[in-house]
Amino acid sequence: KTDEEDGSKRYSLEAYLQWISETKSIVFNLGKVKVEWGSGYAWNPVQMLIPLHSTSEDEIFEDEGIEMIQMEFSLNTVTTNLIFAKLEDENVEKEDRFQFAAQMTFDIEPWEVSLVHLQAKENTLSNGFSFTGLATDALEIHGEWGKSNFRDRQTPKKLSQGTQYPTFYLPARYDYNEDEGKSFNRFLIGGQYTFLETMNIIFELYHNGHGYNDSEWKEIENGIEEAHQDNAWEKSSPPYSSDRGNPYAGFLKNTMDKVGEGQIRQNYAFLRYTTGESDNDWEWEQVLLYNIDDESQMHQSTLKKTCWDTLVLQLSVNHFRGNEFSEYGLNPYTEIYQIQASMNF
């Protein structure tokens, strides 16, 4: 909730009641629960439940649960999960809205295979499949597929042509509209290799059918270029500012909001290397997130030190590389530095 006096916000991430049968074959949860489905590290196409908050608002929402009733049944090597969860989505107007999800997991040594289904927003459906297993003692392989009949983002569209007047140029107008497509797929394949006991490498390839393809991205580029030519609003009488409805400033703002949500293109690669914790409690992690479509990149370096088994100190640096109209090139920052301290009890 929001405190109107100091503007602070407070949220409960998880809070629920749990009942487990004597045989542990039945589990019942009631409350705000964080559900983590899928085998991917950087992405989870089968993580289909619609959250209350977006992680683009604040990274803390990565750990926020959803209000739900959850039932889990286990029989031999098969586990079934049923979820009736609250749905709070700005695109849904009906009151008392809910989303229903089901997962069935088959434990077939050394593999684990899951089937996932979600129904929300009346007739909108999502289905998915995931697997994970050990190819060798040191190599783990995993993959996921998710298909939805609704797109999770709006698409760019040209609304008007640019017009040259005697004293100024009125740029073409662009905006974002709902996509009317009916089938959008996500795929992920990856592996994790552990060597020298603690050192670990993870590599993943990801295709996001909800992301913008080349033609849609070209529309975004054109919209940005046209918006930067805007001087008609300054020459009008009285001059129009962005808060008076300037559509060009509005398009730029909407575009930056979408860049902030992340993974706005379709094809990505992910690489993570970590040393594991050393004998003197130091740990190093290096991450590369590579946009295959426009070749822009995000590099993250993290150095972590654990003190007295309870205090964790962490220094991280994010570096963004890409041309002017690439995903990470549009990021307003070239580097981000973070220092964190956490206490475990």
Side-chain angles (χ1 to χ4, degrees):
K1 67 178 183 178
T2 302
D3 190 322
E4 295 182 357
E5 294 183 359
D6 60 13
S8 64
K9 296 182 179 180
R10 297 185 294 274
Y11 301 93
S12 62
L13 298 180
E14 280 194 284
Y16 60 93
L17 298 174
Q18 183 178 79
W19 176 82
I20 303 177
S21 67
E22 291 185 6
T23 59
K24 298 183 179 180
S25 60
I26 301 175
V27 179
F28 179 85
N29 294 321
L30 174 63
K32 197 171 188 179
V33 183
K34 171 65 175 177
V35 176
E36 296 182 281
W37 288 348
S39 53
Y41 185 90
W43 304 281
N44 291 111
V46 300
Q47 190 80 321
M48 297 176 175
L49 285 168
I50 301 171
L52 172 60
H53 296 103
S54 169
T55 55
S56 63
E57 298 178 44
D58 194 317
E59 289 183 359
I60 195 172
F61 293 132
E62 291 182 359
D63 299 317
E64 183 182 34
I66 302 174
E67 294 179 23
M68 67 175 66
I69 298 173
Q70 181 183 27
M71 293 165 285
E72 180 181 296
F73 308 92
S74 299
L75 179 62
N76 299 324
T77 60
V78 180
T79 301
T80 303
N81 253 294
L82 301 176
I83 291 177
F84 297 90
K86 189 174 182 181
L87 174 61
E88 297 190 47
D89 188 276
E90 60 183 9
N91 298 318
V92 181
E93 298 178 356
K94 297 176 67 176
E95 296 182 356
D96 300 324
R97 301 160 296 183
F98 294 92
Q99 49 188 325
F100 167 75
Q103 180 200 48
M104 184 170 287
T105 301
F106 303 88
D107 191 359
I108 310 168
E109 289 292 341
W111 300 94
E112 184 179 277
V113 179
S114 295
L115 303 176
V116 177
H117 171 78
L118 170 72
Q119 180 159 359
K121 302 182 183 180
E122 296 181 348
N123 296 321
T124 57
L125 303 174
S126 298
N127 295 290
F129 165 85
S130 71
F131 71 89
T132 181
L134 292 176
T136 68
D137 290 341
L139 177 62
E140 177 264 355
I141 303 294
H142 57 266
E144 296 184 33
W145 163 77
K147 180 180 180 180
S148 303
N149 67 350
F150 65 94
R151 198 169 187 177
D152 66 2
R153 68 200 65 196
Q154 295 178 316
T155 54
K157 184 177 182 180
K158 188 176 186 178
L159 302 181
S160 67
Q161 297 289 339
T163 304
Q164 181 65 58
Y165 289 93
T167 58
F168 64 87
Y169 172 70
L170 181 65
R173 282 187 56 192
Y174 290 79
D175 203 353
Y176 291 90
N177 296 319
E178 295 297 326
D179 192 301
E180 297 180 356
K182 297 298 182 182
S183 181
F184 303 95
N185 291 279
R186 291 187 174 103
F187 302 96
L188 177 141
I189 187 71
Q192 181 174 189
Y193 184 73
T194 303
F195 57 101
L196 298 179
E197 296 186 358
T198 61
M199 295 184 181
N200 181 272
I201 293 177
I202 298 174
F203 177 73
E204 292 181 341
L205 291 173
Y206 176 57
H207 171 77
N208 179 15
H210 294 259
Y212 298 129
N213 57 34
D214 289 340
S215 62
E216 291 169 336
W217 191 253
K218 187 60 180 178
E219 288 285 86
I220 293 175
E221 289 185 17
N222 293 338
I224 293 172
E225 288 183 326
E226 290 289 304
H228 283 164
Q229 297 183 59
D230 173 38
N231 61 8
W233 293 81
E234 297 175 1
K235 293 180 180 297
S236 62
S237 181
Y240 281 86
S241 60
S242 60
D243 60 356
R244 293 188 62 193
N246 185 327
Y248 307 107
F251 180 79
L252 293 175
K253 179 184 181 300
N254 292 338
T255 299
M256 292 311 300
D257 288 343
K258 297 182 186 307
V259 170
E261 293 173 3
Q263 286 80 64
I264 59 176
R265 296 301 304 272
Q266 293 194 331
N267 299 294
Y268 293 87
F270 172 83
L271 179 65
R272 172 185 176 266
Y273 166 74
T274 179
T275 62
E277 195 169 273
S278 66
D279 294 337
N280 53 359
D281 299 324
W282 287 93
E283 184 175 352
W284 174 265
E285 178 184 89
Q286 186 69 41
V287 171
L288 168 63
L289 188 56
Y290 182 71
N291 184 320
I292 298 173
D293 294 324
D294 61 27
E295 300 182 356
S296 61
Q297 306 162 33
M298 189 279 288
H299 300 262
Q300 182 183 70
S301 303
T302 303
L303 181 63
K304 186 186 296 184
K305 169 66 174 177
T306 303
C307 306
W308 310 296
D309 295 327
T310 56
L311 177 64
V312 180
L313 304 175
Q314 182 172 298
L315 170 66
S316 62
V317 180
N318 286 25
H319 181 64
F320 302 92
R321 298 179 58 186
N323 64 41
E324 180 184 4
F325 290 116
S326 65
E327 176 179 357
Y328 295 118
L330 285 172
N331 192 299
Y333 307 101
T334 56
E335 292 180 341
I336 297 176
Y337 298 86
Q338 291 182 314
I339 299 176
Q340 296 177 327
S342 59
M343 183 74 73
N344 300 319
F345 296 96

